Amino acid sequence: MSVKDTTTGPIIVTRQGRVLEVRIERGKANAIDAATSRIMGDVFAGFRDDPELRVAILTGTGEKFFCPGWDLKAAAEGEAPDSDYGVGGFGGLQQLPGLNKPVICAVNGLAFGGGFEIMISCDLIIAAEHATFALPEINSGTVADAASIKLPRRIPYHVAMELLFTGRRIDATEAMHWGLINEVVAADQLMARARAIAAQLADGPPLVFAAIKEIDRETSHLPVLEAMKMVTSRRLKTVDVLYSSEDQLEGARAFAEKRKPQWKGR
């Protein structure tokens, strides 16, 4: 397996075969300013557009901070909250169009504010047992905009409102209890576990993953019957591609022949 490291300012990118690892390494706390956000957007857009890459892992450097969100030092120096954060919005993921590949978040420490919002923009979330989570924007008189939209759709409404209204910090055990994250692991096992999941997904059917993500993104606001009609009538590009693909036939043949399918992504 080929391994290639690339450092772009505060972002370290490691390519291992079909898996891309993206690590935030900015100062003591991994806070993100507009320039860092634009770099992350470019990195994830490149991941999206590279046919050889199947899965990405996002994590932070160190054991104390995953990401506390927006760099308040940059804000104090005049960076506006509505600055140009790049093609993917804040953190490179939240508004990136057409990202139809799995992204795993490996939360190595504190995930607050915008860091929390970046985390819930990923598809799977693995947290170190000491990780903590909060939306403290309420204490500085501003709104956690992405979390206000997404969090009530992910966990019970009243729990989401409590976290948004109070800024209360929760630990990894409580986060898992509410379904906010998938797994809690020992800190020294975090990246090994994330890489094991990434390897499993990288060996899976990329066209099916793409269809799953587009179906969720494009139908979440629709009534069930209308959403089903959109899928079964092949009005979604990824579904249309999947249903006409070599991989669709390969899956059926492999099942009939009792062998492991060989996915080609076409």
Side-chain angles (χ1 to χ4, degrees), residues 76-179:
E77 293 170 359
E79 184 172 288
D82 58 351
S83 296
D84 176 11
Y85 290 119
V87 65
F90 185 82
L93 279 173
Q94 300 189 67
Q95 298 168 255
L96 185 63
L99 181 54
N100 290 330
K101 298 177 181 180
V103 180
I104 301 164
C105 190
V107 185
N108 56 296
L110 176 153
F112 282 11
F116 185 114
E117 293 175 322
I118 295 168
M119 176 190 77
I120 62 173
S121 296
C122 298
D123 303 297
L124 300 175
I125 305 171
I126 312 300
E129 57 192 358
H130 68 278
T132 55
F133 311 85
L135 295 163
E137 284 87 344
I138 192 74
N139 299 315
S140 56
T142 190
V143 63
D145 48 10
S148 296
I149 295 167
K150 295 178 181 179
L151 197 59
R153 305 180 186 186
R154 304 291 180 83
I155 64 176
Y157 172 84
H158 59 283
V159 178
M161 290 298 108
E162 179 198 0
L163 297 180
L164 288 161
F165 286 165
T166 69
R168 181 172 71 87
R169 180 186 300 206
I170 63 174
D171 62 18
T173 300
E174 184 175 356
M176 187 171 174
H177 171 76
W178 295 123

Side-chain angles (χ1 to χ4, degrees), residues 69-81:
W70 188 29
D71 185 351
L72 294 181
K73 290 183 179 179
E77 293 170 359
E79 184 172 288

Side-chain angles (χ1 to χ4, degrees), residues 106-107 125-131 172 176 181-194 197:
V107 185
I125 305 171
I126 312 300
E129 57 192 358
H130 68 278
M176 187 171 174
I181 62 178
N182 295 87
E183 291 184 39
V184 180
V185 299
D188 62 357
Q189 294 298 312
L190 178 66
M191 290 310 297
R193 180 58 181 146
I197 296 170

Side-chain angles (χ1 to χ4, degrees), residues 159-250:
V159 178
M161 290 298 108
E162 179 198 0
L163 297 180
L164 288 161
F165 286 165
T166 69
R168 181 172 71 87
R169 180 186 300 206
I170 63 174
D171 62 18
T173 300
E174 184 175 356
M176 187 171 174
H177 171 76
W178 295 123
L180 182 64
I181 62 178
N182 295 87
E183 291 184 39
V184 180
V185 299
D188 62 357
Q189 294 298 312
L190 178 66
M191 290 310 297
R193 180 58 181 146
R195 287 166 182 153
I197 296 170
Q200 178 185 352
L201 297 182
D203 200 34
L207 297 184
V208 178
F209 294 149
I212 290 169
K213 291 199 67 171
E214 188 178 30
I215 289 169
D216 174 70
R217 186 174 61 246
E218 298 299 326
T219 69
S220 60
H221 63 293
L222 297 175
V224 172
L225 291 179
E226 187 176 342
M228 284 297 299
K229 188 174 182 180
M230 178 176 282
V231 174
T232 57
S233 63
R234 297 168 65 156
R235 282 187 276 158
L236 297 175
K237 181 179 179 181
T238 56
V239 175
D240 187 48
V241 169
L242 172 65
Y243 286 173
S244 304
S245 68
E246 293 180 31
D247 278 3
Q248 181 77 30
L249 291 174
E250 168 63 9

Side-chain angles (χ1 to χ4, degrees), residues 10-11 24-34 36-37 40 65-74 90 115 118:
I11 304 300
I24 307 168
E25 186 175 84
R26 185 168 187 269
K28 295 181 179 180
N30 298 330
I32 295 175
D33 62 359
T36 302
S37 182
M40 293 176 71
F65 295 98
F66 166 65
C67 177
W70 188 29
D71 185 351
L72 294 181
K73 290 183 179 179
F90 185 82
I118 295 168

